[in-house]
Amino acid sequence: MNKKAMLEMQTWSDLPIELLELIFCRLSLEDNIRSSIACKRWNTAAISVRVVNHSPWLMYFPKFGNMYEFYDPAQRKTYSLELPELYGSRVCYTKDGWLLLYRPRTNRVFFFDPFSQEVVKLPRFELTYQIVAFSCAPTSNNCVVFTVRHISPTIVAISTCHPGATEWVTVNYQNRLPFVSSIWNKIVFCNGFFYCLSLTGWLGVFDPLEHTWNVLAVPPPKCPANFFAKNWWKGKFMSEHNGDILVIYTCCSENPIIFKLDQSKMFWREMKTLDRMTLFASFLSSHSRSDLPGMMRNSVYFSKVRFFGKRCISYSLDDCRYYPRKQCHDWGEQDPFENIWIEPPEDLSSFI
């Protein structure tokens, strides 16, 4: 049988599994389930990309005007929303679909849900350029807002607040190990603690219940020397996933390196795979997901979109390469307040 005849005898079930996944990941959940009963190969492909979680969206803050764009990396679509409530504000952090924002002219600090337009105000507080984070949605009684500021090589000032409070509480803490705090540091809330990554790779931990500060005796992650060239301090990201602390080190000439904190042996372990997990890295807050479409798994998505807003820069640990190819990015070129990852609305139809 010649090649032409063999091609004519092929059916839809003979499509490569990668192509089937690409098709099925664009179907609605209902259509995905219906398609999965066609045959065994379709069932395997459909289940592998069946979306349980939604990826976060990349929210862009305009330099002028009130029109905000939201990029969905799963569908490669961009949506727009007019939000005059954010005029004159600077984004600080996101979590659980809420933005934490700061108005420099008035020292106003507030939470904002861009999809419901709900606002939760906090007492006024001067935030220069120190890092800020919060533990959970401001609608929760457990919400704590946290910021840390460098005072001297041995002292940091930690300020906390919560929705409904009348003022911020600031306490100076002693550092037992070198720790430098600035806007380029990262914060995540994990297992009831705020973890802060310093410029030099040390990890500080704040307990909001006991009001204690401790710098862990864990040597910084080990990276090749070229990772500490120009703008090295801008190319670091930190996230948490199911109780694990993860850091991502990038270099414009090398593939990124991902480390996980081994909390039993207290050292940074390099990760060669994320398994089914996906990381979404941005300057001010990073996120993790599991059970996303197959082609998004075991990858890191960065807060940079190329090709006229059609393709988000990502790195695949399966393929050990960036997508699109040759997209190693110098993070020193990017404004840290330009964009941030945020949870999409539950009801997409109401947003569109």
Side-chain angles (χ1 to χ4, degrees):
M1 186 179 294
N2 59 35
K3 186 176 181 181
K4 182 178 179 181
M6 291 179 64
L7 288 173
E8 290 177 348
M9 290 182 63
Q10 288 185 335
T11 65
W12 284 97
S13 63
D14 296 318
L15 287 173
I17 194 70
E18 294 82 6
L19 186 55
L20 287 172
E21 288 183 349
L22 185 63
I23 295 171
F24 288 139
C25 76
R26 296 180 178 275
L27 300 180
S28 66
L29 178 60
E30 184 179 1
D31 289 337
N32 178 291
I33 294 172
R34 286 175 177 171
S35 301
S36 67
I37 65 174
C39 65
K40 188 174 181 179
R41 291 188 78 249
W42 281 34
N43 179 268
T44 300
I47 290 176
S48 71
V49 298
R50 189 167 294 165
V51 177
V52 177
N53 286 329
H54 292 286
S55 69
W57 288 358
L58 192 59
M59 179 179 182
Y60 279 88
F61 286 74
K63 293 183 178 180
F64 306 100
N66 299 317
M67 190 63 70
Y68 292 75
E69 292 188 339
F70 298 82
Y71 174 77
D72 178 359
Q75 299 295 327
R76 299 182 187 175
K77 291 183 179 180
T78 300
Y79 310 103
S80 299
L81 191 61
E82 192 166 4
L83 299 170
E85 299 90 344
L86 303 188
Y87 178 78
S89 300
R90 186 181 76 204
V91 64
C92 298
Y93 200 75
T94 63
K95 190 178 179 70
D96 298 340
W98 286 83
L99 298 165
L100 181 64
L101 299 121
Y102 173 63
R103 284 201 177 101
R105 289 187 178 181
T106 61
N107 290 337
R108 171 64 69 188
V109 185
F110 64 101
F111 291 98
F112 184 74
D113 183 331
F115 307 119
S116 68
Q117 276 82 60
E118 186 177 355
V119 178
V120 177
K121 295 182 179 179
L122 292 171
R124 296 178 191 271
F125 189 73
E126 184 177 357
L127 293 173
T128 50
Y129 284 96
Q130 68 261 39
I131 48 178
V132 190
F134 57 96
S135 59
C136 56
T139 50
S140 168
N141 294 330
N142 298 320
C143 179
V144 177
V145 185
F146 164 86
T147 180
V148 57
R149 181 166 55 92
H150 171 72
I151 300 296
S152 74
T154 59
I155 297 175
V156 293
I158 290 178
S159 302
T160 57
C161 192
H162 60 85
T166 57
E167 63 180 3
W168 290 69
V169 176
T170 300
V171 179
N172 287 355
Y173 290 87
Q174 198 78 20
N175 282 330
R176 292 188 299 171
L177 290 170
F179 187 89
V180 181
S181 178
S182 77
I183 185 63
W184 305 117
N185 288 344
K186 313 299 174 187
I187 305 179
V188 298
F189 184 77
C190 180
N191 297 325
F193 302 96
F194 288 99
Y195 288 83
C196 310
L197 187 68
S198 79
L199 288 176
T200 49
W202 293 94
L203 202 60
V205 184
F206 179 73
D207 184 338
L209 294 179
E210 299 295 331
H211 304 285
T212 58
W213 167 259
N214 180 40
V215 179
L216 300 182
V218 181
K222 294 182 179 179
C223 291
N226 55 344
F227 273 70
F228 300 97
K230 178 185 176 183
N231 296 317
W232 65 269
W233 37 276
K234 289 186 178 182
K236 292 192 302 183
F237 309 90
M238 183 165 67
S239 182
E240 68 86 22
H241 183 75
N242 292 341
D244 289 322
I245 305 297
L246 309 170
V247 296
I248 307 165
Y249 277 65
T250 66
C251 173
C252 63
S253 60
E254 301 286 344
N255 290 336
I257 304 176
I258 303 171
F259 297 91
K260 180 172 74 172
L261 178 64
D262 187 322
Q263 300 184 48
S264 61
K265 297 181 180 179
M266 298 305 285
F267 80 102
W268 291 102
R269 184 191 304 275
E270 184 176 347
M271 300 182 68
K272 298 298 184 180
T273 178
L274 296 174
D275 296 321
R276 298 171 64 88
M277 182 173 53
T278 308
L279 296 177
F280 297 86
S282 61
F283 282 106
L284 301 174
S285 65
S286 299
H287 303 257
S288 65
R289 288 290 185 280
S290 57
D291 296 323
L292 289 180
M295 63 181 182
M296 296 186 73
R297 296 173 189 167
N298 204 29
S299 298
V300 182
Y301 280 73
F302 294 97
S303 56
K304 190 68 178 179
V305 178
R306 292 287 175 90
F307 300 114
F308 305 100
K310 296 297 184 182
R311 188 72 183 266
C312 192
I313 294 179
S314 65
Y315 177 79
S316 168
L317 277 77
D318 286 329
D319 303 332
C320 298
R321 55 157 285 191
Y322 277 94
Y323 287 92
R325 192 178 291 277
K326 297 181 180 180
Q327 289 299 318
C328 297
H329 186 59
D330 182 359
W331 296 105
E333 301 174 356
Q334 188 165 335
D335 180 355
F337 304 107
E338 176 183 321
N339 54 39
I340 197 167
W341 293 105
I342 187 171
E343 305 279 352
E346 292 185 6
D347 184 2
L348 183 59
S349 62
S350 63
F351 176 59
I352 297 174

